[in-house]
Amino acid sequence: MLETFKREHLRKLYLHTVSASLILVVLAIYLLLPFYLVTFDEKQGFYIAKGIHQSVLKVAALFYIFYQAFLIERATKETKLERFLKGVRNGKLEKGDWKNIRYTLVKFFFIPLMLPSAIIYLDLLIELSRSKWSYTGIVPFFNQTIFTFIIYSVSFVTLGYYAFGYLFESKKLNSEVKSVDDTVLGWGVLLICYTPFFVFMTKYVPFPTQDYAFFVNQEVTFVVRIVLSIVMLFKLSVVMRLGAKCSNLTNRGIVTSGAYRYIRHPHYLAKLIVWWVTFLPYLVGHLWAIGPMLFWTVIYFLRAVTEERHLSKDQEYIDYKKKVKWMFIPYVV
């Protein structure tokens, strides 16, 4: 009995030591590399997230490392960290171990981006609600206030859903990770769309579009922004359909309701529509910008292609593709 107690005590001490070391390493990365504290807003550009946002990052880092270290799996009666360390000692990591490693990397990359960004948009919403609204007619009021409110709301909810998806993996929520993309192309075309890689790429391949593009006059802008608002709300509905499954590079089960009954990538379609519409004013006098826009469009197309290749390893997704044949536009592509 005493010997068993000692072994269990040493086991926990060993796990705590390794976990504490991992925590220190990750927190050092979060604090020393500033891109983890950077978010992007169309109006304000790139800026540093301060105060509570840094605290959120620290708490998120601690939470995830402890979660990975001490979650006991029913099948093996071991924690993921124990199984990983055992595989390292034996010189043989199993398929499930590699999946856990890749998923941990996914979470460590995206949590510091999604979670504080969601909080920042919530702050912007609160600030907007407290500001003094001047009503001078439906057209300028919609263009200046309502449209901004829609952008902030959609961004907050979308980022919130994705942050939740990275935070929690649960059988009850039907969001358990079946597999994680293991291809260089899949990771590459995804990471290029996010800070810090996006910031680096836009120095060489500009991203010539922004949500607040102005079209000819207030009236035309009003009509276009109504259309954009509908598309953004459509994107929001798609994200809400995904629910707890919101996550990049992972297969967490197939969603077949809502817009997913007709096309397989409605989220990407909505993004591309907003991008191309808001790009049009800039195109006038900048014909060269068509090249960068095509580049980013191809990147998102490749994201869809690599996702399809990954998900097609699952028979459920193969059956889904047979029923829903179109990726973006029915009867076109």
Side-chain angles (χ1 to χ4, degrees):
M1 179 74 71
L2 182 61
E3 188 66 27
T4 301
F5 175 79
K6 287 182 177 180
R7 283 200 303 269
E8 184 64 21
H9 182 72
L10 288 173
R11 168 178 169 267
K12 290 182 178 180
L13 179 63
Y14 174 64
L15 289 175
H16 278 290
T17 302
V18 174
S19 297
S21 300
L22 288 174
I23 290 169
L24 290 175
V25 170
V26 174
L27 286 181
I29 292 173
Y30 284 1
L31 294 174
L32 295 177
L33 299 182
F35 62 76
Y36 275 110
L37 303 177
V38 174
T39 188
F40 179 76
D41 177 68
E42 293 285 359
K43 278 186 172 180
Q44 302 178 41
F46 293 98
Y47 64 98
I48 301 296
K50 299 179 179 178
I52 187 174
H53 313 306
Q54 292 190 25
S55 300
V56 168
L57 296 182
K58 297 173 186 177
V59 172
L62 291 168
F63 175 83
Y64 282 108
I65 297 177
F66 272 120
Y67 177 82
Q68 286 291 316
F70 297 108
L71 181 65
I72 298 177
E73 297 178 325
R74 293 182 180 180
T76 62
K77 304 299 182 183
E78 295 177 319
T79 67
K80 293 181 179 181
L81 179 59
E82 278 183 296
R83 198 171 69 181
F84 171 73
L85 294 173
K86 185 186 296 184
V88 172
R89 288 197 302 269
N90 297 333
K92 183 180 179 181
L93 291 174
E94 298 178 1
K95 186 177 180 180
D97 297 325
W98 286 113
K99 185 195 81 170
N100 289 335
I101 292 171
R102 288 194 296 271
Y103 187 44
T104 300
L105 291 175
V106 168
K107 291 191 291 186
F108 280 163
F109 181 82
F110 281 104
I111 291 164
L113 296 178
M114 300 293 178
L115 191 56
S117 295
I119 294 174
I120 287 170
Y121 274 106
L122 177 60
D123 289 344
L124 291 172
L125 272 172
I126 294 172
E127 183 181 342
L128 181 64
S129 66
R130 290 175 176 174
S131 62
K132 294 182 179 180
W133 295 359
S134 58
Y135 182 82
T136 58
I138 184 63
V139 171
F141 184 68
F142 182 88
N143 287 344
Q144 296 170 12
T145 304
I146 301 300
F147 186 66
T148 299
F149 177 80
I150 292 173
I151 289 177
Y152 288 172
S153 299
V154 171
S155 298
F156 164 63
V157 176
T158 299
L159 291 165
Y161 264 84
Y162 272 89
F164 183 88
Y166 292 116
L167 279 165
F168 301 104
E169 177 189 359
S170 169
K171 188 174 183 179
K172 293 181 179 180
L173 295 173
N174 194 26
S175 63
E176 288 185 306
V177 175
K178 296 182 178 181
S179 61
V180 182
D181 195 336
D182 59 358
T183 65
V184 174
L185 181 61
W187 281 74
V189 294
L190 175 77
L191 295 179
I192 201 175
C193 298
Y194 293 93
T195 304
F197 306 103
F198 178 77
V199 179
F200 174 79
M201 280 302 302
T202 52
K203 292 181 179 179
Y204 303 95
V205 186
F207 187 65
T209 180
Q210 54 97 18
D211 292 339
Y212 294 92
F214 187 79
F215 295 80
V216 185
N217 56 45
Q218 286 284 353
E219 288 71 23
V220 175
T221 301
F222 171 71
V223 173
V224 174
R225 288 187 176 180
I226 287 178
V227 173
L228 290 174
S229 297
I230 294 172
V231 176
M232 290 178 185
L233 292 173
F234 167 75
K235 183 184 81 169
L236 179 62
S237 70
V238 168
V239 170
M240 294 178 71
R241 285 286 177 180
L242 289 174
K245 297 180 188 292
C246 286
S247 177
N248 287 300
L249 295 169
T250 60
N251 176 8
R252 307 179 82 157
I254 312 303
V255 175
T256 60
S257 58
Y260 289 96
R261 290 181 295 176
Y262 310 104
I263 55 176
R264 301 198 297 271
H265 298 280
H267 191 176
Y268 290 166
L269 174 63
K271 275 192 173 183
L272 290 172
I273 290 174
V274 171
W275 285 1
W276 277 94
V277 171
T278 55
F279 165 65
L280 293 177
Y282 188 81
L283 180 60
V284 179
H286 302 87
L287 291 177
W288 60 268
I290 195 75
M293 275 302 297
L294 288 174
F295 172 83
W296 290 109
T297 301
V298 170
I299 288 295
Y300 262 75
F301 178 76
L302 289 176
R303 282 184 62 175
V305 170
T306 54
E307 284 182 14
E308 296 252 320
R309 288 180 180 177
H310 172 218
L311 295 173
S312 293
K313 296 177 182 179
D314 187 342
Q315 184 60 45
E316 185 182 359
Y317 194 77
I318 295 175
D319 295 337
Y320 169 65
K321 286 199 298 183
K322 292 177 181 178
K323 295 179 180 178
V324 182
K325 299 181 179 180
W326 310 103
M327 293 177 66
F328 300 104
I329 304 174
Y331 305 104
V332 178
V333 63

